[in-house]
Every structure is written in C-alpha cells, then in structure tokens.
Amino acid sequence: MNGELLRTTEVPALLGGEPVRATPLPVAYDGSGRIFGPEEEDAVRDVLRRGTLTRWGGTAVDDLERAWAERLGVPHALAVSSGTAALHVALAALDLAPGSEVVTTPVTDMGTVIAILQANLVPVFADVSPETGMLTCETVAAAMTARTGAILPVHLFGRCADTAALRQLADEHGVFLVEDASQAHFSFDREGYAGTHGHLSCFSLQQSKVVSCGEGGIVVAEGRFHERAELIQNKGWLRGRQGDRAYPVVGLNYRMPELSAAVALCQLRRATEIIARRRRSYAVVVEALRDEPGPVITAERPGERASWWALCVRWPELADEPELAAAVEKSLRADGVPFSPGYIGTSPLYLSAALQRRGTEGRHGLPWTLHPEPPVYRRGDCPHAERFLKESFVMNWNEGITPDDAADIARALARALPAARAFTASSRPAGTRR
Ligand SMILES: Cc1ncc(COP(=O)(O)O)c(C=O)c1O
C-alpha cells in the first residue's frame, strides 16, 4: 500500500463519509475466517463410525498428543478439555504449598487467573513492558517474595514472551516456570518455540486459536510433571497403565474427547498454512503503517516468528484521553473494522469484581485465606499495564483475513485518530476548547 492512500483527504465514515469496508471482515465468532474442511469432516465421521468417543479405545487423542509433541520437539504432550483446564492441571502438578504465590500478568485471559485460584494458589500481578504488554524479568523479580512458588508468563497475541530468561530467573530462585502459550502456537524466537522453556507449558485450542477444535487444551511438561499432569486430568488414575485403581492423587475429569482431537489433529496438520496466511496478511498492516505517524502496531523482534492470534494496535496518547479513545473505537467500527478497546476490557484483571472482593465460586475466601498476608489488589499496582490497556485496541486475527482485507484494516487504522479528533472537536459545544 502506498502512503498516499493513507493520507487521504476524504471524509471518514465517522464524519459521514464512505466506510472503508462495504462487506464485513471475516472476524466474527460465527466460524468465518477459520478453515474447517473436508479433512475435518472425514476425521469426525471416522471417529463416529468407530463408535468410540472417549480416548480409551480410540486413537485420535493419542495421535494428537504425539503429533503436537513432535512438532514442538518435546517428549510428550497431554491433550485436555480447555486452556483453562491445561493451566489448572499444570499448576496442580507442581504440588506447591497451598497459598503459595504465582507471579503472573494482569494482561491476559481470565482463564490464566482462574487456574491459579483453582489450584489454591494466590495470584500476584507483576507489571508489564509498556511496549509489549508482557512480563519482563525485571517486573517479575520485583514482584517475587519468599512465598513465590511459580512464575506464569503469557505469550500475548501470538508473540513470544521472554521465557528463556524467565526460566533462568525461576531456576535461580528455585521456583517453577509455567508458560501460558495459549495464543502462541508454534511461535518462535532465537531461544526456541513458545511453550518449550517452562517446567510445564499450556496451550488453548479454543475457537479463535491457531489450532482449534472449538474447546480444548494441551499441556507440555518436563519429566515427572508429565505423569502427575496425566493423573490429575484423569481423575487420578491411568487407565490401562495402572492395574488397580490406586488413586495416588485426586484429579479432575479434564479429558479431551476423540471428536475434538480428530478436528484438532487436522488443524495441526494445517498449522503451517494457517500460520503462513495469518503472517502474510498481518505483514500487510505492519508494512502499510510503517511510516505513518500515529498507531503503533505490535511487531516482531528480529529473529522472532509470531503466529499472530490477534492484532494489537496502540495510540499512546489515548491513555490520558478516554473521550478520544471512545471516538477512535467509533471510527474503526464506522469503517467496518471491529477492534475492541483494551484487551479483555480496558482494566487489568486485578481490578475485576471477583478479585476485588476476593470471591471465587463460593464465599469461602479461598485461596486468599491460605495466605498470612494476602495481597490487596489496587488501582495503580501495575501502571504500565493500566496504560497499555487504555491505549490499545485488539482485533482477533485469523487465516481468513486476506491481504486485501488487511489493507482495508490499515487504512481504517491510519485515519482513526484524525477522524476521532475531528469528531470530538465537532461534538463539543461551540466556544469550548480543550
Ligand atoms: C492467554 C490465555 N490463557 C488462557 C486461556 C484460556 O483458554 P480456554 O478458553 O481454552 O479455557 C486463553 C483463551 O482465551 C488465553 O488466551
């Protein structure tokens, strides 16, 4: 795309002009944008014909686990029912003292935090890098205490968190690293694949993820943690491998069904194509806005290859101008380019109602009651995270977004802030100024 197109003088849609998009982008939660084709249909039919829908006696879950491990170059992978389940299993497999602290990010899906709480561990939120929105060694080190049991970074939007360095930090302090690579299937940097540095690492296979089966998850674990994770997701018993039901641990039923695994396996075989398509269109946006003043697009470091899960764009000036931020959102929507403000909202998770009143699913107050001095979560705890969420807009990315769609997205992004400024100025009563 050339810069002239972006510096257009035409009237933006927000001010009554033509929208950039006449037709919807394939980003809605209705299956559009995802490739589920004849291979998936055949695989599901095969499972049904065999008549075994549980992994016991079936082959799809076993095949998925083998193929996932092979692709990542790790000894094992364990398929479970969701990303949240994967994280819960991983944290439970660590067998930490109840009430131990887990240092994590406030810029993530609630599933990350739910898993910590359900494992009877206490989330401690470290601040993020103002540029990447991800944890850094410095912010994590500042949040660690004598009660820290684990560090849980998130590979955000498909990029790689600095997990090799975080593993070193974890080892130096004798704590564990659990990676949340839900959004970064097969993303890699010079240190290797996302999800290969943790004592355990987790992936979500939910609808929007690179490899999807609607709902599902994967745990990748080192040595002894793999066997414990297997037990925990299978009610504490390894069918076919332990003669009697000795139940060495109490587990949950987080097993992945054969039908889901059959779809996920086809998706995994397409992952190279899915990632290439996502990357190709994403690059169009990055390239188009490279020399534009204004929006900052999340981009890769040298040597990094992100399997883009979402497009995150920031306008740093919006953090202090909520009215302008609301107008930017309106401009993008008016142009048919539906970005959401922030990521999972414009506030970090520690300000969510549940964490503010320290309420899990009941009134028992766990896990905070297990901690002698439970953290109080306050506005201002992670200033960079709070700013990051106020200045960011996110759109789910997928392989159905073509390079032409991406060019439209870039155009809408380029004109959003000028349009928003004109809009807010025109909606102020005459004679008032900022
Ligand atoms: C970073 C992150 N962690 C955890 C989860 C939870 O995964 P699931 O929705 O499969 O339970 C998600 C999914 O959206 C996620 O993006």
Side-chain angles (χ1 to χ4, degrees):
M1 181 188 289
N2 61 51
E4 269 171 38
L5 186 56
L6 298 178
R7 278 185 280 278
T8 176
T9 53
E10 71 202 2
V11 181
L14 183 61
L15 301 174
E18 284 293 305
V20 167
R21 291 289 301 192
T23 54
L25 286 164
V27 292
Y29 246 16
D30 60 0
S32 61
R34 306 313 314 270
I35 309 172
F36 296 110
E39 292 84 353
E40 281 82 354
E41 283 176 34
D42 288 348
V44 166
R45 239 185 251 116
D46 279 353
V47 172
L48 289 173
R49 265 193 225 111
R50 281 201 302 270
T52 303
L53 306 192
T54 169
R55 73 173 297 168
W56 313 116
T59 56
V61 179
D62 288 348
D63 289 347
L64 172 66
E65 290 177 344
R66 257 194 307 275
W68 195 282
E70 208 167 282
R71 173 127 193 188
L72 271 189
V74 296
H76 319 279
L78 181 66
V80 294
S81 53
S82 72
T84 306
L87 286 156
H88 185 196
V89 166
L91 289 161
L94 294 177
D95 202 15
L96 292 167
S100 298
E101 296 171 3
V102 178
V103 178
T104 193
T105 167
V107 183
T108 182
D109 182 82
M110 194 60 169
T112 315
V113 178
I114 291 166
I116 297 172
L117 298 172
Q118 292 298 331
N120 273 326
L121 303 169
V122 173
V124 169
F125 295 96
D127 209 351
V128 298
S129 146
E131 283 85 34
T132 68
M134 294 191 278
L135 297 180
T136 69
C137 281
E138 291 71 32
T139 63
V140 170
M144 289 175 78
T145 72
R147 296 186 68 87
T148 304
I151 303 169
L152 204 178
V154 172
H155 298 271
L156 198 59
F157 307 138
R159 289 209 46 205
C160 294
D162 200 1
T163 39
L166 286 168
R167 174 60 188 260
Q168 209 177 329
L169 182 73
D171 288 344
E172 279 164 18
H173 286 79
V175 305
F176 297 111
L177 181 73
V178 175
E179 289 181 65
D180 184 345
S182 291
Q183 303 177 2
H185 302 184
F186 313 114
S187 298
F188 62 90
D189 62 15
R190 289 178 177 147
E191 307 289 348
Y193 280 117
T196 56
H197 301 107
H199 294 85
L200 297 109
S201 301
C202 302
F203 300 83
S204 161
L205 308 188
Q206 178 269 345
Q207 172 76 21
S208 64
K209 304 304 190 304
V210 164
V211 172
S212 172
C213 57
E215 304 289 352
I218 300 276
V219 182
V220 166
E222 280 181 3
R224 68 195 158 102
F225 296 117
H226 175 69
E227 185 159 331
R228 215 178 127 77
E230 255 191 311
L231 283 167
I232 290 168
Q233 59 87 42
N234 187 36
K235 297 193 285 187
W237 180 56
L238 297 181
R239 185 186 291 254
R241 304 229 308 269
Q242 287 176 331
D244 58 345
R245 297 196 181 205
Y247 293 116
V249 300
V250 171
L252 291 137
N253 181 351
Y254 279 160
R255 295 188 296 250
M256 178 181 279
E258 283 286 282
L259 287 168
S260 302
V263 173
L265 188 57
C266 294
Q267 289 274 294
L268 181 55
R269 291 186 182 126
R270 294 180 192 282
T272 302
E273 179 199 354
I274 291 172
I275 293 167
R277 289 171 68 147
R278 287 178 180 230
R279 288 181 53 75
R280 195 176 313 127
S281 297
Y282 197 101
V284 170
V285 182
V286 173
E287 193 48 43
L289 296 175
R290 188 180 299 284
D291 300 322
E292 288 298 316
V296 183
I297 306 292
T298 301
E300 295 161 329
R301 291 188 309 271
E304 185 183 8
R305 290 284 175 279
S307 318
W308 296 112
W309 171 72
L311 172 62
C312 175
V313 55
R314 294 186 293 122
W315 285 270
E317 51 272 69
L318 296 186
D320 304 310
E321 298 201 58
E323 193 193 351
L324 193 59
V328 164
E329 186 193 355
K330 276 200 190 113
S331 173
L332 292 166
R333 288 197 183 270
D335 268 332
V337 174
F339 278 82
S340 301
Y343 163 56
I344 322 257
T346 50
S347 290
L349 287 181
Y350 54 80
L351 294 180
S352 63
L355 294 199
Q356 284 296 301
R357 65 177 164 76
R358 295 208 191 123
T360 42
E361 79 277 17
R363 289 177 169 270
H364 45 61
L366 290 168
W368 291 279
T369 46
L370 298 165
H371 193 294
E373 290 172 76
V376 177
Y377 306 116
R378 295 195 184 90
R379 188 174 296 282
D381 282 354
C382 300
H384 289 315
E386 292 183 17
R387 267 195 94 80
F388 183 87
L389 292 169
K390 286 196 193 111
E391 65 193 30
S392 296
F393 285 79
V394 170
M395 177 195 277
N396 271 7
W397 206 244
N398 68 51
E399 57 277 17
I401 298 172
T402 64
D404 284 348
D405 294 334
D408 287 344
I409 292 167
R411 204 167 136 225
L413 287 169
R415 68 186 198 166
L417 188 60
R421 283 201 197 287
F423 179 78
T424 49
S426 70
S427 47
R428 252 178 236 121
T432 62
R433 278 157 137 241
R434 284 189 52 97

